[in-house]
Amino acid sequence: MTRTLVKVCGITRVEDGLFAAEAGADAVGFVFYPMSPRRVDAAQAATIARALPPFVLRVGVFVDATRDEMAGVADEVGLDVLQLHGDEPPESFVGLPRRAIKAVRVGRGFRDDEALRYHGRAAGVVVDTRLLGDTVMPGGTGVAFDWSLVRGLRDKVGFLMLAGGLTPENVAAAIAEVRPHAVDVSSAVERMPGRKDPESLRAFVEAVRTAERGAHRR
């Protein structure tokens, strides 16, 4: 198994961004969705981004934002990647100011073609949880979905990030089931929304690396 990238999302403070980098995260996420308890504005995100080591990717999370809005934020913050969590159609990925990955919500009845329609347009796919009966939550549920629903999807979409209810306790099992290129964590490594816990962060990253070492030995 190749190295699994770790993204820590919902960063709202410089110290939390540095905690994530020190713990071994490959990327941090800034949420620009107005309804999120982890929302930051471009000025806040830019301050955090400037304090991070250069090897940490800066990811901007948007929900149905305009191209101009994303371009402005990307330039001000210095974003490397856009992560789109709304109802953006495949054609909306043409001409975006940065590489962009598309979040697809997974629940009962999920079919691969819900993700595959973005293949060749988006730079990759994020699979996140769709709660039963939910029609509006774009992410951040803190609840895991049935990982068997996306087994084998990695090899079809080019780049696959797994999100939704991942914790230090379950991430190794999730990696073994889904074999994602990356995992995305937020609420499970927090003391409260938008405030990360250094011990949980370290435990999560170490669980990912332990899962990798186990895979290499098999």
PDB file of all heavy atoms in Angstrom, residues 75-100:
ATOM      1  N   ASP A  75      -6.528  33.116  -4.045  1.00  0.00           N
ATOM      2  CA  ASP A  75      -5.389  34.025  -4.187  1.00  0.00           C
ATOM      3  C   ASP A  75      -5.000  34.656  -2.855  1.00  0.00           C
ATOM      4  O   ASP A  75      -3.809  34.764  -2.532  1.00  0.00           O
ATOM      5  CB  ASP A  75      -5.708  35.121  -5.207  1.00  0.00           C
ATOM      6  CG  ASP A  75      -5.739  34.602  -6.639  1.00  0.00           C
ATOM      7  OD1 ASP A  75      -5.203  33.500  -6.880  1.00  0.00           O
ATOM      8  OD2 ASP A  75      -6.302  35.293  -7.502  1.00  0.00           O
ATOM      9  N   GLU A  76      -5.989  35.070  -2.076  1.00  0.00           N
ATOM     10  CA  GLU A  76      -5.692  35.742  -0.810  1.00  0.00           C
ATOM     11  C   GLU A  76      -5.052  34.792   0.205  1.00  0.00           C
ATOM     12  O   GLU A  76      -4.119  35.172   0.921  1.00  0.00           O
ATOM     13  CB  GLU A  76      -6.963  36.344  -0.214  1.00  0.00           C
ATOM     14  CG  GLU A  76      -6.713  37.101   1.082  1.00  0.00           C
ATOM     15  CD  GLU A  76      -7.938  37.851   1.593  1.00  0.00           C
ATOM     16  OE1 GLU A  76      -8.929  37.972   0.833  1.00  0.00           O
ATOM     17  OE2 GLU A  76      -7.900  38.329   2.744  1.00  0.00           O
ATOM     18  N   VAL A  77      -5.551  33.568   0.236  1.00  0.00           N
ATOM     19  CA  VAL A  77      -5.085  32.602   1.233  1.00  0.00           C
ATOM     20  C   VAL A  77      -3.840  31.859   0.770  1.00  0.00           C
ATOM     21  O   VAL A  77      -2.997  31.455   1.573  1.00  0.00           O
ATOM     22  CB  VAL A  77      -6.217  31.597   1.570  1.00  0.00           C
ATOM     23  CG1 VAL A  77      -5.736  30.538   2.558  1.00  0.00           C
ATOM     24  CG2 VAL A  77      -7.433  32.328   2.119  1.00  0.00           C
ATOM     25  N   GLY A  78      -3.719  31.675  -0.551  1.00  0.00           N
ATOM     26  CA  GLY A  78      -2.653  30.828  -1.077  1.00  0.00           C
ATOM     27  C   GLY A  78      -3.051  29.372  -1.071  1.00  0.00           C
ATOM     28  O   GLY A  78      -2.261  28.487  -0.718  1.00  0.00           O
ATOM     29  N   LEU A  79      -4.291  29.103  -1.468  1.00  0.00           N
ATOM     30  CA  LEU A  79      -4.796  27.730  -1.480  1.00  0.00           C
ATOM     31  C   LEU A  79      -4.110  26.911  -2.565  1.00  0.00           C
ATOM     32  O   LEU A  79      -3.815  27.404  -3.656  1.00  0.00           O
ATOM     33  CB  LEU A  79      -6.305  27.709  -1.717  1.00  0.00           C
ATOM     34  CG  LEU A  79      -7.186  28.365  -0.655  1.00  0.00           C
ATOM     35  CD1 LEU A  79      -8.649  28.302  -1.087  1.00  0.00           C
ATOM     36  CD2 LEU A  79      -6.992  27.714   0.709  1.00  0.00           C
ATOM     37  N   ASP A  80      -3.900  25.646  -2.262  1.00  0.00           N
ATOM     38  CA  ASP A  80      -3.355  24.711  -3.242  1.00  0.00           C
ATOM     39  C   ASP A  80      -4.453  23.913  -3.935  1.00  0.00           C
ATOM     40  O   ASP A  80      -4.306  23.538  -5.101  1.00  0.00           O
ATOM     41  CB  ASP A  80      -2.401  23.727  -2.549  1.00  0.00           C
ATOM     42  CG  ASP A  80      -1.239  24.426  -1.880  1.00  0.00           C
ATOM     43  OD1 ASP A  80      -0.429  25.032  -2.607  1.00  0.00           O
ATOM     44  OD2 ASP A  80      -1.153  24.383  -0.639  1.00  0.00           O
ATOM     45  N   VAL A  81      -5.519  23.625  -3.203  1.00  0.00           N
ATOM     46  CA  VAL A  81      -6.582  22.743  -3.690  1.00  0.00           C
ATOM     47  C   VAL A  81      -7.925  23.297  -3.232  1.00  0.00           C
ATOM     48  O   VAL A  81      -8.041  23.862  -2.137  1.00  0.00           O
ATOM     49  CB  VAL A  81      -6.408  21.302  -3.137  1.00  0.00           C
ATOM     50  CG1 VAL A  81      -7.520  20.384  -3.647  1.00  0.00           C
ATOM     51  CG2 VAL A  81      -5.050  20.740  -3.518  1.00  0.00           C
ATOM     52  N   LEU A  82      -8.952  23.128  -4.067  1.00  0.00           N
ATOM     53  CA  LEU A  82     -10.327  23.440  -3.699  1.00  0.00           C
ATOM     54  C   LEU A  82     -11.065  22.125  -3.443  1.00  0.00           C
ATOM     55  O   LEU A  82     -10.871  21.149  -4.161  1.00  0.00           O
ATOM     56  CB  LEU A  82     -11.040  24.206  -4.820  1.00  0.00           C
ATOM     57  CG  LEU A  82     -10.319  25.423  -5.404  1.00  0.00           C
ATOM     58  CD1 LEU A  82     -11.148  26.033  -6.524  1.00  0.00           C
ATOM     59  CD2 LEU A  82     -10.033  26.452  -4.323  1.00  0.00           C
ATOM     60  N   GLN A  83     -11.929  22.131  -2.434  1.00  0.00           N
ATOM     61  CA  GLN A  83     -12.754  20.956  -2.124  1.00  0.00           C
ATOM     62  C   GLN A  83     -14.200  21.412  -2.142  1.00  0.00           C
ATOM     63  O   GLN A  83     -14.621  22.209  -1.303  1.00  0.00           O
ATOM     64  CB  GLN A  83     -12.352  20.387  -0.754  1.00  0.00           C
ATOM     65  CG  GLN A  83     -13.053  19.094  -0.381  1.00  0.00           C
ATOM     66  CD  GLN A  83     -12.447  18.485   0.869  1.00  0.00           C
ATOM     67  OE1 GLN A  83     -11.229  18.488   1.053  1.00  0.00           O
ATOM     68  NE2 GLN A  83     -13.286  17.952   1.747  1.00  0.00           N
ATOM     69  N   LEU A  84     -14.979  20.909  -3.090  1.00  0.00           N
ATOM     70  CA  LEU A  84     -16.337  21.395  -3.324  1.00  0.00           C
ATOM     71  C   LEU A  84     -17.354  20.419  -2.750  1.00  0.00           C
ATOM     72  O   LEU A  84     -17.390  19.249  -3.131  1.00  0.00           O
ATOM     73  CB  LEU A  84     -16.574  21.594  -4.825  1.00  0.00           C
ATOM     74  CG  LEU A  84     -16.066  22.908  -5.429  1.00  0.00           C
ATOM     75  CD1 LEU A  84     -14.616  23.181  -5.131  1.00  0.00           C
ATOM     76  CD2 LEU A  84     -16.324  22.949  -6.934  1.00  0.00           C
ATOM     77  N   HIS A  85     -18.209  20.929  -1.868  1.00  0.00           N
ATOM     78  CA  HIS A  85     -19.138  20.078  -1.120  1.00  0.00           C
ATOM     79  C   HIS A  85     -20.604  20.368  -1.417  1.00  0.00           C
ATOM     80  O   HIS A  85     -21.479  19.896  -0.683  1.00  0.00           O
ATOM     81  CB  HIS A  85     -18.905  20.244   0.390  1.00  0.00           C
ATOM     82  CG  HIS A  85     -17.898  19.300   0.952  1.00  0.00           C
ATOM     83  ND1 HIS A  85     -18.243  18.175   1.665  1.00  0.00           N
ATOM     84  CD2 HIS A  85     -16.552  19.318   0.893  1.00  0.00           C
ATOM     85  CE1 HIS A  85     -17.142  17.533   2.035  1.00  0.00           C
ATOM     86  NE2 HIS A  85     -16.095  18.217   1.571  1.00  0.00           N
ATOM     87  N   GLY A  86     -20.892  21.121  -2.443  1.00  0.00           N
ATOM     88  CA  GLY A  86     -22.280  21.450  -2.735  1.00  0.00           C
ATOM     89  C   GLY A  86     -22.868  20.597  -3.849  1.00  0.00           C
ATOM     90  O   GLY A  86     -22.527  19.430  -4.014  1.00  0.00           O
ATOM     91  N   ASP A  87     -23.743  21.227  -4.628  1.00  0.00           N
ATOM     92  CA  ASP A  87     -24.396  20.549  -5.754  1.00  0.00           C
ATOM     93  C   ASP A  87     -23.719  20.894  -7.075  1.00  0.00           C
ATOM     94  O   ASP A  87     -24.358  20.916  -8.128  1.00  0.00           O
ATOM     95  CB  ASP A  87     -25.872  20.946  -5.805  1.00  0.00           C
ATOM     96  CG  ASP A  87     -26.645  20.422  -4.598  1.00  0.00           C
ATOM     97  OD1 ASP A  87     -26.363  19.283  -4.170  1.00  0.00           O
ATOM     98  OD2 ASP A  87     -27.510  21.148  -4.079  1.00  0.00           O
ATOM     99  N   GLU A  88     -22.433  21.156  -7.030  1.00  0.00           N
ATOM    100  CA  GLU A  88     -21.701  21.559  -8.226  1.00  0.00           C
ATOM    101  C   GLU A  88     -21.739  20.451  -9.286  1.00  0.00           C
ATOM    102  O   GLU A  88     -21.372  19.302  -8.997  1.00  0.00           O
ATOM    103  CB  GLU A  88     -20.246  21.861  -7.875  1.00  0.00           C
ATOM    104  CG  GLU A  88     -20.065  22.971  -6.848  1.00  0.00           C
ATOM    105  CD  GLU A  88     -20.045  22.473  -5.415  1.00  0.00           C
ATOM    106  OE1 GLU A  88     -20.208  21.246  -5.204  1.00  0.00           O
ATOM    107  OE2 GLU A  88     -19.887  23.309  -4.503  1.00  0.00           O
ATOM    108  N   PRO A  89     -22.162  20.772 -10.506  1.00  0.00           N
ATOM    109  CA  PRO A  89     -22.184  19.762 -11.577  1.00  0.00           C
ATOM    110  C   PRO A  89     -20.787  19.551 -12.147  1.00  0.00           C
ATOM    111  O   PRO A  89     -19.885  20.384 -11.946  1.00  0.00           O
ATOM    112  CB  PRO A  89     -23.108  20.387 -12.621  1.00  0.00           C
ATOM    113  CG  PRO A  89     -22.934  21.858 -12.435  1.00  0.00           C
ATOM    114  CD  PRO A  89     -22.718  22.064 -10.957  1.00  0.00           C
ATOM    115  N   PRO A  90     -20.567  18.452 -12.859  1.00  0.00           N
ATOM    116  CA  PRO A  90     -19.235  18.185 -13.418  1.00  0.00           C
ATOM    117  C   PRO A  90     -18.685  19.321 -14.267  1.00  0.00           C
ATOM    118  O   PRO A  90     -17.484  19.621 -14.215  1.00  0.00           O
ATOM    119  CB  PRO A  90     -19.458  16.914 -14.244  1.00  0.00           C
ATOM    120  CG  PRO A  90     -20.589  16.218 -13.557  1.00  0.00           C
ATOM    121  CD  PRO A  90     -21.496  17.323 -13.102  1.00  0.00           C
ATOM    122  N   GLU A  91     -19.547  19.970 -15.043  1.00  0.00           N
ATOM    123  CA  GLU A  91     -19.060  21.024 -15.939  1.00  0.00           C
ATOM    124  C   GLU A  91     -18.550  22.250 -15.190  1.00  0.00           C
ATOM    125  O   GLU A  91     -17.814  23.073 -15.749  1.00  0.00           O
ATOM    126  CB  GLU A  91     -20.139  21.438 -16.929  1.00  0.00           C
ATOM    127  CG  GLU A  91     -21.443  21.879 -16.320  1.00  0.00           C
ATOM    128  CD  GLU A  91     -22.433  20.740 -16.125  1.00  0.00           C
ATOM    129  OE1 GLU A  91     -22.008  19.553 -16.077  1.00  0.00           O
ATOM    130  OE2 GLU A  91     -23.637  21.049 -16.019  1.00  0.00           O
ATOM    131  N   SER A  92     -18.905  22.403 -13.914  1.00  0.00           N
ATOM    132  CA  SER A  92     -18.453  23.567 -13.152  1.00  0.00           C
ATOM    133  C   SER A  92     -16.971  23.505 -12.801  1.00  0.00           C
ATOM    134  O   SER A  92     -16.399  24.490 -12.330  1.00  0.00           O
ATOM    135  CB  SER A  92     -19.269  23.700 -11.863  1.00  0.00           C
ATOM    136  OG  SER A  92     -18.989  22.642 -10.968  1.00  0.00           O
ATOM    137  N   PHE A  93     -16.321  22.360 -13.052  1.00  0.00           N
ATOM    138  CA  PHE A  93     -14.911  22.217 -12.724  1.00  0.00           C
ATOM    139  C   PHE A  93     -14.004  22.751 -13.832  1.00  0.00           C
ATOM    140  O   PHE A  93     -12.800  22.854 -13.640  1.00  0.00           O
ATOM    141  CB  PHE A  93     -14.583  20.749 -12.431  1.00  0.00           C
ATOM    142  CG  PHE A  93     -15.082  20.302 -11.082  1.00  0.00           C
ATOM    143  CD1 PHE A  93     -16.414  20.007 -10.888  1.00  0.00           C
ATOM    144  CD2 PHE A  93     -14.227  20.215 -10.007  1.00  0.00           C
ATOM    145  CE1 PHE A  93     -16.892  19.621  -9.648  1.00  0.00           C
ATOM    146  CE2 PHE A  93     -14.674  19.834  -8.763  1.00  0.00           C
ATOM    147  CZ  PHE A  93     -16.019  19.537  -8.586  1.00  0.00           C
ATOM    148  N   VAL A  94     -14.576  23.091 -14.950  1.00  0.00           N
ATOM    149  CA  VAL A  94     -13.783  23.632 -16.054  1.00  0.00           C
ATOM    150  C   VAL A  94     -13.376  25.070 -15.725  1.00  0.00           C
ATOM    151  O   VAL A  94     -14.205  25.910 -15.382  1.00  0.00           O
ATOM    152  CB  VAL A  94     -14.579  23.593 -17.367  1.00  0.00           C
ATOM    153  CG1 VAL A  94     -13.770  24.225 -18.500  1.00  0.00           C
ATOM    154  CG2 VAL A  94     -14.972  22.167 -17.715  1.00  0.00           C
ATOM    155  N   GLY A  95     -12.087  25.343 -15.809  1.00  0.00           N
ATOM    156  CA  GLY A  95     -11.609  26.705 -15.630  1.00  0.00           C
ATOM    157  C   GLY A  95     -11.514  27.195 -14.205  1.00  0.00           C
ATOM    158  O   GLY A  95     -11.381  28.401 -13.973  1.00  0.00           O
ATOM    159  N   LEU A  96     -11.559  26.294 -13.225  1.00  0.00           N
ATOM    160  CA  LEU A  96     -11.404  26.728 -11.842  1.00  0.00           C
ATOM    161  C   LEU A  96      -9.965  27.189 -11.587  1.00  0.00           C
ATOM    162  O   LEU A  96      -9.033  26.747 -12.256  1.00  0.00           O
ATOM    163  CB  LEU A  96     -11.772  25.584 -10.891  1.00  0.00           C
ATOM    164  CG  LEU A  96     -13.258  25.238 -10.802  1.00  0.00           C
ATOM    165  CD1 LEU A  96     -13.493  24.095  -9.832  1.00  0.00           C
ATOM    166  CD2 LEU A  96     -14.088  26.455 -10.387  1.00  0.00           C
ATOM    167  N   PRO A  97      -9.772  28.067 -10.601  1.00  0.00           N
ATOM    168  CA  PRO A  97      -8.440  28.656 -10.396  1.00  0.00           C
ATOM    169  C   PRO A  97      -7.424  27.719  -9.757  1.00  0.00           C
ATOM    170  O   PRO A  97      -6.231  28.049  -9.700  1.00  0.00           O
ATOM    171  CB  PRO A  97      -8.735  29.842  -9.469  1.00  0.00           C
ATOM    172  CG  PRO A  97      -9.969  29.437  -8.722  1.00  0.00           C
ATOM    173  CD  PRO A  97     -10.788  28.676  -9.718  1.00  0.00           C
ATOM    174  N   ARG A  98      -7.850  26.583  -9.234  1.00  0.00           N
ATOM    175  CA  ARG A  98      -6.960  25.604  -8.619  1.00  0.00           C
ATOM    176  C   ARG A  98      -7.462  24.200  -8.949  1.00  0.00           C
ATOM    177  O   ARG A  98      -8.595  24.024  -9.384  1.00  0.00           O
ATOM    178  CB  ARG A  98      -6.916  25.758  -7.081  1.00  0.00           C
ATOM    179  CG  ARG A  98      -6.439  27.088  -6.557  1.00  0.00           C
ATOM    180  CD  ARG A  98      -4.952  27.297  -6.782  1.00  0.00           C
ATOM    181  NE  ARG A  98      -4.467  28.466  -6.055  1.00  0.00           N
ATOM    182  CZ  ARG A  98      -4.580  29.724  -6.456  1.00  0.00           C
ATOM    183  NH1 ARG A  98      -5.197  30.001  -7.602  1.00  0.00           N
ATOM    184  NH2 ARG A  98      -4.082  30.709  -5.726  1.00  0.00           N
ATOM    185  N   ARG A  99      -6.615  23.200  -8.699  1.00  0.00           N
ATOM    186  CA  ARG A  99      -7.104  21.823  -8.752  1.00  0.00           C
ATOM    187  C   ARG A  99      -8.270  21.702  -7.776  1.00  0.00           C
ATOM    188  O   ARG A  99      -8.233  22.276  -6.683  1.00  0.00           O
ATOM    189  CB  ARG A  99      -6.014  20.840  -8.352  1.00  0.00           C
ATOM    190  CG  ARG A  99      -4.857  20.708  -9.319  1.00  0.00           C
ATOM    191  CD  ARG A  99      -3.789  19.820  -8.726  1.00  0.00           C
ATOM    192  NE  ARG A  99      -3.216  20.404  -7.509  1.00  0.00           N
ATOM    193  CZ  ARG A  99      -2.510  19.731  -6.624  1.00  0.00           C
ATOM    194  NH1 ARG A  99      -2.301  18.434  -6.768  1.00  0.00           N
ATOM    195  NH2 ARG A  99      -2.005  20.344  -5.573  1.00  0.00           N
ATOM    196  N   ALA A 100      -9.276  20.943  -8.149  1.00  0.00           N
ATOM    197  CA  ALA A 100     -10.458  20.835  -7.295  1.00  0.00           C
ATOM    198  C   ALA A 100     -10.910  19.391  -7.190  1.00  0.00           C
ATOM    199  O   ALA A 100     -10.882  18.643  -8.172  1.00  0.00           O
ATOM    200  CB  ALA A 100     -11.601  21.691  -7.844  1.00  0.00           C
TER     201      ALA A 100
END
